[in-house]
Amino acid sequence: MTSARPVALRVAYDAAHGGRWTSLHGGGREWLWRGPEPGRHEVRPDDPFVDAGGLEECLPTVRGEPDHGEVWSRTWRSAGPGTVVIERPTFTLTRRITDEGGVVAADYRLTADPGHRFVWAAHALLDLSPAARLDAPAGTPTRLHPEAAALLPPGSWPTGEPWLTGPWPTPSGLTLDTFGPDDGTALGAVLLDCPRVQVVDGADRLTMELECADQPRSTALWRNLGGWPANGPYRSVGVEPMLGAAFDLADAGPHDAAVVPPTGEVTWRLTISAHRIH
């Protein structure tokens, strides 16, 4: 008989460099992948994105301008135990991380003018084996983004459309829930109205859940199996809880972005827990 036992997680972050989560570890395992790109500590605002791994805070967009958003390349200031703040001309974001009881909870508060639209993602790049898979509810509407067009039959992609939607785990016939060995492909997808997913890797389980009232909650997937970048591809897998439903705020329709209500504030919580099968 097998049983799943909780594994206590601990988190570390770097406020001086975009509030980036640098470690998510427990039970002798580090969950966050570390990238090959040097120079992360030398980044200045508006520099090109440096893929150092970990978990990057992407706000107010993921793709688009500026790439990976405004806050990853700026210093956050401390505002108490586990709490950091980043202030921009159009919004202020506060984050408090706790890991009491071995469960990581990140509480966010964004203040801005009512009607302010944004996309946020916890851009978590995970260190996973080729046997890992992503569990999400079957049939979840999943948006493939344009780099997937090269993997589909000619003429499959609707002309001028920013995405193509199909049911999880095989939108448009592409199997996305397993990662497998490197095959030279790279694609992004967004699982709509999907606030909870679980990563399964051998005996380990990592569960990510996003709570937020009255805003679109999704899970973004970056499945790079040695297909990106063109001038030196490597493997990286991102499982990214998201407010919104589009990578690029510029592509977001009326219901594809988070919108600040008349109160001038949006709050949300990301919870991450781990278990191990015995």
Side-chain angles (χ1 to χ4, degrees):
M1 182 176 179
T2 60
S3 61
R5 298 180 182 176
V7 174
L9 292 174
R10 293 291 179 263
V11 66
Y13 63 86
D14 185 352
H17 300 96
R20 172 174 165 257
W21 302 33
T22 55
S23 179
L24 179 68
H25 66 278
R29 173 169 188 155
E30 173 59 59
W31 281 98
L32 294 182
W33 171 84
R34 290 177 173 82
E37 299 295 327
R40 180 67 177 81
H41 284 192
E42 287 71 50
V43 165
R44 296 293 179 267
D46 302 321
D47 280 357
F49 182 65
V50 175
D51 196 9
L55 186 157
E56 301 278 10
E57 301 283 357
C58 295
L59 179 78
T61 190
V62 183
R63 298 185 184 182
E65 296 294 336
D67 188 21
H68 289 72
E70 297 181 21
V71 302
W72 72 271
S73 61
R74 290 175 163 85
T75 297
W76 299 41
R77 63 176 175 85
S78 177
T83 304
V84 288
V85 179
I86 177 79
E87 295 162 334
R88 301 294 302 130
T90 58
F91 63 83
T92 297
L93 179 68
T94 303
R95 183 191 74 196
R96 179 174 183 261
I97 297 179
T98 60
D99 53 19
E100 296 171 6
V103 175
V104 173
D107 288 294
Y108 296 83
R109 183 177 72 254
L110 183 138
T111 58
D113 290 340
H116 180 79
R117 303 174 81 243
F118 66 94
V119 171
W120 164 85
H123 186 279
L125 295 175
L126 302 180
D127 189 1
L128 303 176
S129 78
R133 58 186 173 85
L134 180 63
D135 272 353
T140 296
T142 302
R143 288 177 171 173
L144 295 170
H145 283 252
E147 62 272 11
L151 307 178
L152 301 176
S156 299
W157 197 270
T159 302
E161 292 299 315
W163 48 67
L164 184 63
T165 305
W168 180 266
T170 54
S172 299
L174 297 180
T175 300
L176 297 188
D177 61 334
T178 57
F179 300 119
D182 290 0
D183 61 9
T185 64
L187 60 84
V190 177
L191 288 73
L192 305 181
D193 192 24
C194 183
R196 184 182 186 275
V197 296
Q198 186 173 79
V199 177
V200 179
D201 193 6
D204 289 321
R205 310 286 187 269
L206 188 74
T207 303
M208 310 172 83
E209 184 166 5
L210 181 59
E211 301 169 74
C212 184
D214 304 321
Q215 302 290 349
R217 297 173 299 165
S218 307
T219 299
L221 172 65
W222 172 241
R223 187 173 177 272
N224 174 27
L225 306 181
W228 184 90
N231 62 346
Y234 50 83
R235 180 186 182 93
S236 58
V237 174
V239 179
E240 308 171 21
M242 170 187 278
L243 290 183
F247 280 122
D248 191 339
L249 182 60
D251 292 334
H255 305 292
D256 295 330
V259 181
V260 176
T263 59
E265 179 177 284
V266 179
T267 61
W268 64 95
R269 167 174 281 193
L270 171 63
T271 304
I272 307 177
S273 59
H275 292 79
R276 182 166 290 158
I277 301 298
H278 292 269

